[in-house]
Amino acid sequence: SGFMAAYNYNIMWVDCVVLLPLIVLGLERLEQEFNISRRHIQREFKKGTGQTVHSYIVKTKLALCARYIAEGMPVSHVYAKAGFAGYNHFFRAFKKEFQMTPGEYYQICCRANASE
């Protein structure tokens, strides 16, 4: 859908520019390499993106899960593939982000794919 396309585009841009160094190097290494505190990195990240590092990582994982579901992957597999440690955390976060359960999203995607 248009909503998910725009959502994914914004996620991808920030992933490349902002999140990738955090994932590859980690906050500790960025702290050491640039001689700035972890708190300062987190504060600047929030100022630039409007959300915390943790929140951004969760939203990025959720967008990846939504893409996997839209591609037809079973909901029971997507959470681990996207890096969530447990299904319950994934389920609650998905429902909060998209205002529907992963199963409901899967059904919507199945109907949309069947009508194409």
Side-chain angles (χ1 to χ4, degrees):
S1 77
F3 163 74
M4 284 308 296
Y7 185 86
N8 286 333
Y9 174 78
N10 289 334
I11 295 285
M12 290 186 303
W13 183 85
V14 178
D15 283 348
C16 293
V17 175
V18 178
L19 191 58
L20 191 58
L22 284 171
I23 292 171
V24 172
L25 298 175
L27 278 174
E28 259 180 57
R29 177 108 183 264
L30 285 174
E31 193 175 23
Q32 294 166 353
E33 292 290 324
F34 296 103
N35 197 28
I36 53 178
S37 74
R38 178 181 305 209
R39 179 71 184 120
H40 182 71
I41 294 168
Q42 292 171 329
R43 195 171 36 251
E44 290 301 312
F45 185 93
K46 185 164 186 175
K47 191 180 349 175
T49 65
Q51 53 194 322
T52 66
V53 172
H54 178 263
S55 173
Y56 187 79
I57 290 171
V58 169
K59 285 177 184 257
T60 302
K61 289 178 181 181
L62 289 170
L64 187 57
C65 287
R67 190 179 91 210
Y68 289 151
I69 292 169
E71 291 171 355
M73 186 180 293
V75 173
S76 59
H77 294 97
V78 300
Y79 75 94
K81 186 168 182 171
F84 281 96
Y87 182 78
N88 289 337
H89 179 242
F90 157 68
F91 183 90
R92 284 190 307 273
F94 193 97
K95 189 169 182 181
K96 181 179 178 184
E97 181 69 18
F98 299 112
Q99 291 78 49
M100 67 181 82
T101 68
E104 290 167 339
Y105 185 72
Y106 182 82
Q107 292 301 317
I108 290 168
C109 291
C110 286
R111 283 195 298 269
N113 290 339
S115 67
E116 290 178 355

